[in-house]
Amino acid sequence: MQHHIPMRNDVTKALAGRRVLMMTENTTYPLDLRVRQEAMTLTNAGCQVSVICQRGSGQPWRENMEGVIIYRYPAPVQGQGGLSYVLEYTYSFAAMFILSLFVWADRGFDIIHAANPPDTTVFLALFYKVFGKQFIFDHHDLAPELYLVRYSNRGSRFIYRVLKWLEATSCRYADHIIATNQSHKNIEIQRGHIPEERITIVRNGPVLDYFELIRANSNLGIKKNVEFGYIGAIAPPDGLDYFLRALHLLVTILKRNDFSCVIIGNGSALDDLKAQAKQLDLLSKVCFTGFLPQPEALRRLASVDICVDSDPSNIYNDRCTMIKMMEYMALGKPIVAFDLPEHRITAGESALYAQPNDELEFARNLATLMDDPELRVRMGAFGRKRIENELAWKYQSLNLIRAYETMSAHAG
C-alpha cells in the first residue's frame, strides 16, 4: 500500500531529521494499519522512523520496509486469566526495552512514540527522558475498560486499578497525547487531568486512494441472495456471537433465507463461533475465511451488499471508533450496527442502528436493507462521501503532524 500524503513545505522542514522510535505491542508491523500509516506519514515528512513490535510467523527480526526500520521480538505466549495478562505485558516490556537499547546504539532516536496497550511503556519513556528524549503517548485503547470486558468483569479489581494508574501516569508524563476520538480525549482530560492543548485527535482514517483501487476492481455481479460481510478481529469483545444470533432470528422469526454471509478475520473466538454457527444451523449460510492478507480481504469485502458491526454496548465499545466501520464506509457499503455513541459519530446516515444488544432489531434492520437496494446505495454513498470529505487519512495525517509541531513548539 502506497501512502500519497501531501505535506506543507514548512511542516517537512520542521520535522526533517527528527528521529522517531515507535512502539506497539498488540500486533506486528505492518499488520497494525494505524501504526503503519503514522510511520509512513512521519517518514514522508522527513523523519527517521524505527518501529519495535512483535515478530509474526516468518518475519525477520530486523527489516527495512519503505524506509521504516522494524525491530521485532518473539511474540509472548497467550494465556487466560489476569496472571497471563500481567506476564504478557511484563515480557513485552522487557523485550521492548532491550530492543530500544539496540536501536539507540544502532540509529538513535529523539522521540519515543508509544502506542498502548500496554501502558507500561511510560517507564521506558521515563528512562529515556533522563537523556532528553521526548515522549508521545498514542492512546489507542482504554486499557482498564478493555481488561474488564476481556475478562467479562471477572478480572482482578487490583489489576484494574493498576491499569487506571498506568494510564494516568502515561498521560501525565507524555509531552503530547494522541487520542483516537473525542471520547478518549474526554477520558484524558477528566480522568487524567490533562490540559486540552496537550491532546490531539488523530482518527483511524483509511487511505482513500487504496480503497478507490479496491472499489474499481470489485465486481458485485448478479446474485441470487443478498450477502452480508464482516471484517476484523474475532474475539469475545467483538460481538460476533450477537451477529450469529441475529442471523438465527432472521431465519426463524423473520422467515428469511435469501442471504449468505462472509466473516473475514481470525482470533481467539473463531472456534467457538464456528461451533455456535453449527448449533444455530447456520453453517450453510456463513463462510469463515480466517485470516486473509489485506488486499485479498478488502477485495472480498468489496463484493458484499451489506456490512455489519455487531460490537455490543459496554464500557469499552461505547467509547471506541472501530476501524472496520471506516473500511466499510470507504468501500461505499451500507452498515447495520448497534447504536453506540462513537458509531453514530463515525457513520452517521451510512448505518442503520439497532437498540444496543437487541439482536431481533439487528435482524430487522438487516431485512430492511435486504429489501431496499436504493436505500443501500444512498447509505453507501453517504459513508463514502464522509470519508472523502472528512475522515480519510490524508486529513488525519495532518493532525498527526500538527501534534508533533505542537510538542516541538512547547519544548522550544
Side-chain angles (χ1 to χ4, degrees):
M1 178 185 356
Q2 296 297 317
H3 293 247
H4 303 290
I5 300 168
M7 293 294 169
R8 306 192 317 265
N9 289 334
D10 59 323
V11 166
T12 305
K13 291 177 182 177
L15 296 186
R18 301 301 300 273
R19 298 172 300 172
V20 180
L21 173 58
M22 304 186 73
M23 295 185 176
T24 180
E25 189 274 342
N26 60 349
T27 189
T28 189
Y29 189 100
L31 294 184
D32 190 322
L33 296 182
R34 178 182 173 89
V35 173
R36 184 178 184 180
Q37 288 174 186
E38 289 175 330
M40 291 307 304
T41 293
L42 294 171
T43 299
N44 291 346
C47 295
Q48 173 187 291
V49 180
S50 307
V51 175
I52 291 176
C53 63
Q54 292 183 19
R55 187 170 67 206
S57 176
Q59 290 183 317
W61 81 271
R62 187 181 189 276
E63 184 177 11
N64 185 331
M65 293 187 67
E66 304 171 292
V68 177
I69 307 299
I70 305 104
Y71 302 80
R72 302 186 179 98
Y73 61 89
V77 176
Q78 299 294 319
Q80 300 293 326
L83 180 60
S84 69
Y85 200 87
V86 174
L87 292 176
E88 173 190 344
Y89 286 166
T90 301
Y91 164 80
S92 296
F93 175 83
M96 287 191 289
F97 180 66
I98 292 169
L99 275 180
S100 73
L101 293 172
F102 184 86
V103 177
W104 194 12
D106 188 32
R107 307 186 81 210
F109 54 86
D110 310 303
I111 300 166
I112 291 176
H113 181 140
N116 84 316
D119 297 350
T120 51
T121 48
V122 64
F123 300 117
L124 191 151
L126 286 172
F127 171 81
Y128 285 110
K129 271 179 164 287
V130 175
F131 301 96
K133 313 302 182 185
Q134 292 180 295
F135 172 40
I136 286 183
F137 179 45
D138 198 345
H139 198 183
H140 288 194
D141 293 307
L142 300 176
E145 285 76 12
L146 178 59
Y147 171 75
L148 289 182
V149 169
R150 177 181 291 184
Y151 295 106
S152 302
N153 292 311
R154 295 191 301 269
S156 165
R157 302 302 297 184
F158 172 73
I159 293 178
Y160 172 72
R161 288 193 293 271
V162 169
L163 289 172
K164 286 183 69 174
W165 177 78
L166 286 171
E167 176 188 82
T169 303
S170 298
C171 291
R172 183 179 308 118
Y173 289 105
D175 294 285
H176 203 79
I177 298 168
I178 294 174
T180 58
N181 58 36
Q182 186 64 47
S183 293
H184 282 205
K185 183 175 180 178
N186 292 342
I187 288 285
E188 292 147 8
I189 293 172
Q190 296 163 12
R191 192 156 77 190
H193 307 291
I194 303 302
E196 187 172 0
E197 60 269 18
R198 281 178 51 202
I199 306 169
T200 301
I201 295 176
V202 181
R203 294 169 66 87
N204 291 316
V207 178
L208 201 56
D209 291 348
Y210 181 69
F211 280 83
E212 184 59 41
L213 182 64
I214 294 292
R215 292 177 77 216
N217 288 283
S218 67
N219 181 15
L220 287 173
I222 299 174
K223 298 179 183 178
K224 180 179 179 181
N225 295 329
V226 171
E227 186 175 28
F228 307 131
Y230 171 92
I231 191 170
I234 301 178
D238 297 300
L240 281 167
D241 55 329
Y242 286 81
F243 177 46
L244 290 187
R245 288 191 292 269
L247 291 181
H248 181 66
L249 294 172
L250 188 62
V251 173
T252 58
I253 302 297
L254 303 182
K255 307 301 181 183
R256 301 297 297 264
N257 282 289
D258 51 335
F259 70 89
S260 61
C261 177
V262 59
I263 294 177
I264 305 167
N266 202 356
S268 61
L270 181 57
D271 290 340
D272 290 341
L273 205 66
K274 289 179 178 179
Q276 183 187 11
K278 182 178 181 180
Q279 181 183 15
L280 296 175
D281 196 24
L282 291 171
L283 287 181
S284 64
K285 295 289 189 183
V286 180
C287 171
F288 296 93
T289 70
F291 171 79
L292 295 177
Q294 193 202 28
E296 183 181 350
L298 291 179
R299 281 194 295 269
R300 182 67 184 87
L301 190 68
S303 70
V304 308
D305 303 287
I306 301 166
C307 287
V308 299
D309 188 331
S310 53
D311 287 288
S313 175
N314 57 45
I315 58 173
Y316 176 72
N317 288 340
D318 287 355
R319 294 161 172 160
C320 286
T321 299
M322 306 302 177
I323 293 177
K324 54 183 170 281
M325 294 284 277
M326 298 276 199
E327 292 175 335
Y328 298 159
M329 294 163 67
L331 290 172
K333 301 298 178 180
I335 303 165
V336 174
F338 289 123
D339 194 358
L340 310 187
E342 286 293 336
H343 281 3
R344 285 267 183 185
I345 292 171
T346 299
E349 296 175 23
S350 64
L352 290 185
Y353 303 97
Q355 288 296 314
N357 309 348
D358 186 332
E359 294 153 355
L360 181 56
E361 188 173 358
F362 198 99
R364 286 178 174 139
N365 284 349
L366 292 173
T368 296
L369 287 182
M370 290 171 68
D371 294 334
D372 198 336
E374 292 183 1
L375 177 59
R376 297 202 302 261
V377 170
R378 291 198 302 272
M379 290 171 60
F382 179 93
R384 174 68 185 185
K385 185 171 287 292
R386 179 148 165 71
I387 295 292
E388 290 174 347
N389 294 341
E390 298 180 57
L391 299 178
W393 183 251
K394 67 180 180 180
Y395 305 113
Q396 306 309 315
S397 64
L398 297 179
N399 293 335
L400 175 66
I401 296 300
R402 193 173 299 114
Y404 271 74
E405 287 183 303
T406 301
M407 183 184 70
S408 298
H410 185 265

